[in-house]
Amino acid sequence: MSELSVKHLLGIKYLTEADIQLIFDTATQFKEVINRPIKKVPSLRDITIANLFFENSTRTKLSFELAQKRLSADVINFASSVSSLKKGETLIDTVNNILSMKVDMVVMRHSSPGAASFLAKHVDATIINAGDGAHEHPTQALLDTFSINERLGDVAGKKVVIIGDILHSRVALSNIFALQKLGAEVCVCGPKTLIPKHITSLGVKVETDVNKALKWCDVANVLRVQFERMSASYFPSNREYAAFYGITKPMLDALDKEIIIMHPGPINRGVELSSAVVDSNQAIILDQVENGVAIRMAVLYLLAEKINHAN
Ligand code: NCD
């Protein structure tokens, strides 16, 4: 297969296993490119991309922008805090105004679940979801599974536990879909208050004891507590969370195998992971960041090919 089955990247839910493999194969080639002295290719020379970030972001925004520049695309950036949205303009009006400037692709992060799908229905551009509320964050799950693949040779048959604030996490849902499509076994672990009630209907295991979860897994993907999405108190204090769910080096050293530690960032050192774990060889957190650029280059390149074919 040399073409994606979708025209937009709205969520992992809509991708086939073959789509994910194609993205991985393309990302492997781009990873080679970005490690060369000349890191740039002309592939998207005639493509204009708007990055619309209605929510804060460091890694994802920089990673998309770098991926676009490495592919020679023209890029415009927009952050909601400095825009006319503050003056009452609707999302569709804002985006249509930007599209009148002849933009081909939109990368959007928004606090409302479904915002990217809504846009894909109403505007004439390729849409890439860079995180929609607590729903999906597809490029994060692609770079996470790509990083597992790179370290362990395969995702199929591996046991992956996602630890932390599952309830408010778009990274968790996208990872569950991606891991399952690639044949991994998935467990979620955290305080009961941070695990959605019906999560088992997705075919994942639930574990509230973090030591048991660590013993079971090959890979632990540890998430940040999403304080900004909480309207109530889900646990007594950060100290209590760290005491029950924080992962420390002695906990890892007590296991009879070496598991891999992942984190999408930003990390709260000393809360979900101790500093010694973050800085250990078991953590592949910076590999995830490097792979993020290659994965986003692959997604942009493959979706741009669909635009050209349609014309
Ligand atoms: C995540 C996000 O924004 O969903 N971060 C990221 O994209 N690297 C996770 C988080 O904010 O904790």
Side-chain angles (χ1 to χ4, degrees):
M1 198 184 80
S2 60
E3 199 179 274
L4 291 177
S5 69
V6 291
K7 279 183 10 198
H8 307 277
L9 180 62
L10 303 177
I12 300 290
K13 194 175 169 189
Y14 309 107
L15 298 182
T16 63
E17 191 194 338
D19 287 329
I20 300 178
Q21 286 303 346
L22 176 62
I23 294 169
F24 283 6
D25 292 346
T26 313
T28 303
Q29 292 172 30
F30 283 132
K31 188 163 175 179
E32 203 254 307
V33 169
I34 57 180
N35 281 295
R36 283 186 206 153
I38 296 169
K39 302 173 175 59
K40 222 166 157 155
V41 285
S43 317
L44 298 195
R45 218 174 25 198
D46 52 351
I47 296 281
T48 305
I49 306 174
N51 295 316
L52 312 187
F53 279 71
F54 297 92
E55 237 191 20
N56 293 343
S57 170
T58 312
R59 256 157 299 269
T60 306
K61 189 165 179 289
L62 291 179
S63 179
F64 265 113
E65 204 177 326
L66 195 58
Q68 293 154 359
K69 290 183 171 161
R70 297 277 189 252
L71 291 168
S72 308
D74 288 325
V75 181
I76 52 174
N77 288 304
F78 160 100
S80 61
S81 55
V82 291
S83 77
S84 288
L85 277 182
K86 289 267 181 286
K87 301 178 185 166
E89 194 176 42
T90 67
L91 175 61
I92 290 190
D93 282 338
T94 302
V95 174
N96 273 330
N97 272 281
I98 292 166
L99 293 182
S100 322
M101 301 171 199
K102 305 275 176 265
V103 167
D104 305 290
M105 296 177 127
V106 172
V107 175
M108 184 173 74
R109 170 168 285 194
H110 198 279
S111 58
S112 297
S117 302
F118 174 79
L119 215 56
K121 281 195 197 100
H122 292 97
V123 304
D124 185 20
T126 300
I127 309 295
I128 298 176
N129 182 4
D132 59 332
H135 181 224
E136 279 230 38
H137 190 352
T139 54
Q140 182 69 45
L142 289 167
L143 75 90
D144 287 344
T145 44
F146 182 85
S147 302
I148 295 174
N149 205 41
E150 189 178 68
R151 190 50 89 98
L152 297 181
D154 206 346
V155 176
K158 300 297 180 302
K159 293 180 175 151
V160 182
V161 62
I162 305 171
I163 301 175
D165 182 359
I166 313 298
L167 184 65
H168 299 99
S169 174
R170 50 191 171 214
V171 177
L173 189 62
S174 287
N175 260 278
I176 291 171
F177 289 143
L179 289 163
Q180 289 181 335
K181 282 179 198 242
L182 296 172
E185 270 184 79
V186 187
C187 174
V188 295
C189 174
K192 268 208 173 98
T193 48
L194 291 179
I195 295 186
K197 257 201 184 131
H198 302 293
I199 192 98
T200 48
S201 66
L202 295 177
V204 301
K205 267 164 62 86
V206 175
E207 176 58 70
T208 50
D209 181 334
V210 74
N211 282 303
K212 281 192 190 156
L214 292 176
K215 218 170 166 180
W216 173 83
C217 74
D218 302 303
V219 178
N221 195 349
V222 185
L223 306 178
R224 185 178 65 88
V225 176
Q226 309 267 304
F227 292 106
E228 70 278 20
R229 294 190 210 290
M230 293 185 181
S231 50
S233 184
Y234 290 80
F235 50 86
S237 67
N238 264 359
R239 233 171 80 183
E240 183 123 342
Y241 183 86
F244 282 95
Y245 289 97
I247 296 171
T248 62
K249 201 69 180 51
M251 286 161 78
L252 297 183
D253 293 342
L255 303 172
D256 56 9
K257 58 182 171 183
E258 187 162 298
I259 65 165
I260 289 171
I261 301 292
M262 303 174 69
H263 194 300
I267 301 166
N268 285 310
R269 280 182 186 250
V271 182
E272 64 267 18
L273 292 177
S274 74
S275 268
V277 173
V278 174
D279 300 329
S280 75
N281 289 335
Q282 278 170 268
I284 60 164
I285 300 167
L286 293 177
D287 297 337
Q288 290 172 261
V289 177
E290 180 182 349
N291 288 335
V293 178
I295 280 287
R296 291 181 174 111
M297 285 173 81
V299 165
L300 293 160
Y301 174 83
L302 291 166
L303 287 174
E305 268 195 332
K306 303 285 284 192
I307 303 176
N308 296 336
H309 288 170
N311 289 341

